[in-house]
Amino acid sequence: MLRRRNLLTTLLIVLPWALLLTLWHQYPTTRYLSLLRKDTDENVTSKALLNGTSTLREEGFPSCIRQQQNIGVTPKVIQNYVYSRPPPWSDTLPTIFVITPTYTRPVQKAELTRLANTFLHVQNLHWVVVEDSPRRTNLVSNLLEKAGLNFTHLNVETPKSLKLGLSWIPSHTPRGTLQRNLGLHWLRDSFSNTAPPEGVVYFADDDNTYSLELFEEMRYTRRVSVWPVAFVGGLRYESPKLSPAGKVVGWKTVFDPNRPFAIDMAGFAISIKLILEKPQASFKLEGVKGGYQETSLLKDLVTMDGLEPKAANCTKVLVWHTRTERPTLVNEGKRGFTDPRVEV
Amino acid sequence: MPKRRDILAIVLIVLPWTLLITVWHQSTIAPLLAVHKDDGGDSRRDLAAGLDSKEYCLSDRDIVEVVRTEYVYTRPPPWSDTLPTIHVITPTYSRPVQKAELTRLANTLLHVPNLHWILVEDSQRRTPLITRLLRDTGLNYTHLNVETPRNYKLRGDMRDPRIPRGTMQRNLALRWLRETFNKNNSQPGIVYFADDDNTYSLELFEEMRSTRKGSVWPVAFVGGLRYESPKVNAAGKVYGWKTVFDPHRPFAIDMAGFAVNLRLILQRSQAYFKLRGVKGGYQESSLLRELVTLNDLEPKAANCTK
């Protein structure tokens, strides 16, 4: 018994000292002690953090070239805070995959700029931008690189026949459909169904307005979550109808409330697990009645009782279906007044 | 004798474990707490700080400095003692899209360090919607209001058509600045008029921050053009305006196309936007002609090419 005790004691002594020695080997003694001292007292010397350059993004510093062996000299610790955007990636938060179809027109850069400015506040956001174009344009490529967001840049051109509308009924052509489907296709190519990442898929058009709160509401979607959207269906807002138990039982809309999913593109988010589980689910391209595009996807993914209401049981408006006025360019004339090389 | 050995054993055990626990505690918890102080209003600290922290050593023989850099995200960025403050004056009025417009504008402004938002409502009273919105953003702000008098002769809710929209609100903000800041106080600042429905890049705010007197740059989608721009000569001086609509105005520039140093605003305390009798397109000139001359203007945005 004595022997075992001795063994235990020896272990308890040797182990921590060995660990400490490894630590000390990695970091100089003085630095280690100074860290302790700095963190224990409340006064942190914080230096002016921004270097006044136009890009306020992460800046790296070279690591210590020489180890300092100044025994007995206590180093001064300067704490530098560098503002980074977007927020640093977290290993624990589910990722929000935002699919945005976009097309070239004068206000495109402005729309994408202010959208990026919103997304730059959201942690663990991956922006999938899909251009309606034969090639990825420089305008969008440069914008995405400069923004600093985590992104994927895709493109697929909507054939002119589809743009005009094949269906007999002169309903509005489903714009953005091919692009959204390509986004879904990319997700299914990039992630495996057997080991799906934690995340949610959201379709965000480039002219809408999103509050930051919305992204935190959708982040923990288990199947499909829904919430109100402002300025759709000719109303101040459309909203899911909830039962007293908090389940979705219908849709508070004037326009065709009996649609299976009478909800706008901006009013729902789907867990990526579900997208990967049901690889056949896509937006229908042809023969889609006006207002049924969302249904054409959601019906293959979820039923009404599988919906999770968000935004305080669908009582808060966190997203607005804003539309951008087309700018008048009458003074450009036939030959163009402004320099076409200047990107707008 | 056994007692002494026991004591020795206990010390040898307790000491290193305590040290280990302290170090482990500091190295994992401290970055998450990201202690940073800012004194310019509230700042949103809900999101975690970056877990990478890089260190580098400066050494000069006996003096060792350890610079510890932490990548943090706060909304808005921490206030800096060295950057000039940008005072953004935004007039706003109630209509269905007001909350949406202000939300996305705030999302942009929340990236800009040392920004002070002066929001002036066109209303009899400060509305709860705006009060709540401003408070929830965490921005450094001032909330004002002044109602543009209605013209009851015309039907409905027509404001006095002779007063261009936003004028009284912008003037109120200028007055507030003059009442709040002492012209002898050398707190550097820039004044910018930002309407709530425009789109601003983050680069713009850094361009205007270095304004000494008045700075100018191109604006898209005004004057019936892709963009209007100041004309800049080879010496980098503004000598005219590249517009189709009335290019001979003293300042043929949109409200969003210029910024003025706060010092000038405080010094020329009678300079305001003219309320009545202002021809279309001359509102900006009515203020700028009291503050700067063409020669004083600093062209920004790569000599007005961006």
Side-chain angles (χ1 to χ4, degrees):
Chain A
M1 214 163 64
L2 207 65
R3 243 178 163 183
R4 224 189 254 165
R5 233 185 88 200
N6 274 344
L7 197 61
L8 183 65
T9 323
T10 323
L11 192 66
L12 274 176
I13 295 172
V14 170
L15 182 63
W17 284 108
L19 281 171
L20 276 176
L21 274 170
T22 9
L23 262 181
W24 268 319
H25 185 71
Q26 278 181 19
Y27 305 102
T29 318
T30 49
R31 194 192 301 186
Y32 162 75
L33 284 176
S34 76
L35 283 180
L36 269 184
R37 181 177 308 137
K38 173 184 87 69
D39 292 325
T40 45
D41 71 44
E42 289 313 320
N43 309 327
V44 180
T45 352
S46 74
K47 213 174 170 180
L49 57 159
L50 300 153
N51 302 323
T53 54
S54 51
T55 48
L56 301 168
R57 280 186 274 123
E58 305 184 20
E59 291 174 26
F61 287 97
S63 55
C64 227
I65 303 162
R66 293 176 298 161
Q67 301 285 349
Q68 297 307 315
Q69 298 295 331
N70 290 303
I71 302 158
V73 177
T74 46
K76 180 171 151 205
V77 179
I78 301 167
Q79 184 69 34
N80 230 353
Y81 295 104
V82 176
Y83 174 66
S84 84
R85 58 170 188 262
W89 200 268
S90 153
D91 289 324
T92 51
L93 280 183
T95 303
I96 300 179
F97 293 94
V98 178
I99 298 179
T100 299
T102 185
Y103 65 103
T104 302
R105 77 273 198 200
V107 296
Q108 182 188 38
K109 191 179 182 188
E111 301 284 47
L112 293 176
T113 297
R114 61 182 167 188
L115 198 52
N117 288 347
T118 290
F119 292 160
L120 280 164
H121 288 296
V122 184
Q123 208 170 1
N124 284 43
L125 185 142
H126 185 107
W127 198 14
V128 182
V129 179
V130 196
E131 292 196 72
D132 187 342
S133 61
R135 260 168 297 280
R136 301 198 314 231
T137 61
N138 284 333
L139 187 148
V140 177
S141 302
N142 293 337
L143 187 144
L144 288 172
E145 271 169 39
K146 269 184 83 181
L149 284 162
N150 207 330
F151 72 89
T152 294
H153 186 185
L154 307 169
N155 71 291
V156 60
E157 193 177 26
T158 308
K160 292 216 172 39
S161 56
L162 265 181
K163 279 197 196 142
L164 295 170
L166 286 179
S167 62
W168 286 86
I169 310 156
S171 58
H172 71 272
T173 35
R175 199 160 62 189
T177 313
L178 263 181
Q179 288 71 33
R180 292 187 192 96
N181 281 345
L182 184 64
L184 289 174
H185 181 87
W186 176 85
L187 282 170
R188 287 163 174 148
D189 265 350
S190 309
F191 300 101
S192 89
N193 187 21
T194 47
E198 283 286 322
V200 66
V201 179
Y202 182 55
F203 298 99
D205 288 347
D206 63 8
D207 57 354
N208 290 341
T209 303
Y210 308 91
S211 70
L212 300 180
E213 208 181 324
L214 175 72
F215 298 101
E216 300 317 312
E217 287 288 304
M218 70 171 76
R219 203 185 282 280
Y220 295 96
T221 301
R222 283 187 322 271
R223 306 237 296 281
V224 176
S225 52
V226 291
W227 49 77
V229 180
F231 311 138
V232 284
L235 295 170
R236 283 169 73 244
Y237 65 90
E238 275 184 352
S239 164
K241 229 190 281 193
L242 299 189
S243 70
K247 285 224 153 276
V248 179
V249 294
W251 312 98
K252 205 164 181 285
T253 76
V254 167
F255 170 65
D256 209 344
N258 299 317
R259 289 171 277 163
F261 296 92
I263 195 167
D264 181 79
M265 197 65 74
F268 64 90
I270 309 164
S271 106
I272 189 168
K273 194 158 156 285
L274 197 55
I275 296 286
L276 299 174
E277 270 172 20
K278 312 263 172 92
Q280 301 314 310
S282 298
F283 288 102
K284 203 155 163 242
L285 271 175
E286 298 164 42
V288 180
K289 244 190 338 180
Y292 280 78
Q293 230 212 339
E294 295 79 4
T295 301
S296 75
L297 171 72
L298 289 172
K299 72 182 200 304
D300 291 332
L301 291 169
V302 73
T303 57
M304 200 180 274
D305 53 69
L307 296 175
E308 299 150 57
K310 301 285 181 183
N313 265 346
C314 295
T315 57
K316 289 166 84 172
V317 171
L318 302 175
V319 57
W320 299 261
H321 196 297
T322 43
R323 263 166 266 252
T324 301
E325 184 182 287
R326 211 168 57 180
T328 45
L329 302 177
V330 282
N331 283 335
E332 289 288 346
K334 279 200 205 130
R335 271 184 273 138
F337 179 81
T338 53
D339 186 342
R341 294 167 302 173
V342 172
E343 191 182 77
V344 153
Chain B
M1 207 82 99
K3 250 190 175 169
R4 234 205 238 159
R5 252 182 69 199
D6 281 329
I7 295 173
L8 182 64
I10 291 170
V11 170
L12 276 178
I13 294 173
V14 171
L15 180 64
W17 282 111
T18 326
L19 279 172
L20 269 177
I21 291 170
T22 335
V23 177
W24 173 81
H25 187 265
Q26 297 296 344
S27 67
T28 51
I29 304 296
L32 286 178
L33 291 178
V35 179
H36 43 267
K37 316 228 184 305
D38 68 272
D39 23 276
D42 310 307
S43 90
R44 197 115 297 201
R45 296 184 205 151
D46 349 290
L47 297 165
L51 295 175
D52 336 295
S53 78
K54 300 197 176 148
E55 303 190 13
Y56 72 94
C57 305
L58 302 167
S59 87
D60 183 22
R61 283 203 277 168
D62 296 327
I63 304 165
V64 176
E65 275 188 348
V66 177
V67 182
R68 212 166 156 230
T69 302
E70 271 182 39
Y71 298 102
V72 299
Y73 162 81
T74 58
R75 182 167 89 216
W79 202 268
S80 153
D81 291 325
T82 51
L83 291 178
T85 302
I86 300 178
H87 301 275
V88 176
I89 298 174
T90 300
T92 185
Y93 65 102
S94 291
R95 76 271 197 204
V97 295
Q98 182 186 39
K99 190 179 183 187
E101 301 283 38
L102 292 175
T103 297
R104 61 183 169 185
L105 183 53
N107 287 347
T108 291
L109 299 180
L110 278 165
H111 287 295
V112 186
N114 287 45
L115 185 138
H116 174 222
W117 198 16
I118 305 175
L119 197 56
V120 194
E121 293 196 70
D122 187 341
S123 61
Q124 263 183 6
R125 261 170 290 277
R126 303 201 313 232
T127 62
L129 186 149
I130 305 295
T131 307
R132 268 194 309 261
L133 187 144
L134 283 172
R135 196 194 53 213
D136 291 343
T137 60
L139 282 163
N140 196 342
Y141 70 88
T142 295
H143 185 186
L144 306 170
N145 72 291
V146 61
E147 194 177 28
T148 308
R150 280 161 218 237
N151 188 339
Y152 286 109
K153 292 197 189 124
L154 295 173
R155 56 181 147 77
D157 195 55
M158 273 291 280
R159 306 284 156 160
D160 189 330
R162 290 172 294 166
I163 301 181
R165 195 159 63 193
T167 315
M168 289 186 71
Q169 288 72 34
R170 293 186 191 99
N171 282 346
L172 180 65
L174 289 175
R175 206 180 85 189
W176 180 90
L177 284 169
R178 286 160 177 152
E179 283 170 5
T180 308
F181 295 101
N182 187 341
K183 67 167 101 93
N184 300 320
N185 185 338
S186 59
Q187 264 181 27
I190 314 292
V191 177
Y192 181 55
F193 297 97
D195 288 348
D196 64 7
D197 58 356
N198 291 341
T199 303
Y200 307 92
S201 71
L202 300 180
E203 208 180 324
L204 175 71
F205 297 101
E206 300 319 310
E207 286 289 304
M208 70 173 74
R209 217 186 275 278
S210 54
T211 304
R212 285 189 319 269
K213 282 192 166 157
S215 54
V216 291
W217 49 77
V219 179
F221 311 137
V222 285
L225 295 169
R226 282 168 75 242
Y227 63 90
E228 276 183 349
S229 165
K231 266 196 247 191
V232 182
N233 64 21
K237 284 233 162 271
V238 177
Y239 68 96
W241 311 99
K242 203 163 182 289
T243 77
V244 167
F245 170 65
D246 209 344
H248 301 294
R249 287 171 277 165
F251 295 89
I253 195 166
D254 181 79
M255 196 66 73
F258 66 90
V260 181
N261 193 307
L262 177 65
R263 208 182 348 108
L264 266 186
I265 299 283
L266 301 177
Q267 278 169 359
R268 317 272 166 91
S269 53
Q270 300 313 309
Y272 284 100
F273 288 103
K274 198 152 166 250
L275 271 181
R276 289 190 170 84
V278 181
K279 245 194 331 185
Y282 281 77
Q283 232 214 340
E284 294 81 1
S285 297
S286 75
L287 172 74
L288 288 173
R289 65 166 201 266
E290 316 252 350
L291 295 169
V292 285
T293 61
L294 213 69
N295 197 43
D296 287 333
L297 295 177
E298 301 146 56
K300 301 288 179 186
N303 263 347
C304 295
T305 57
K306 289 167 84 175

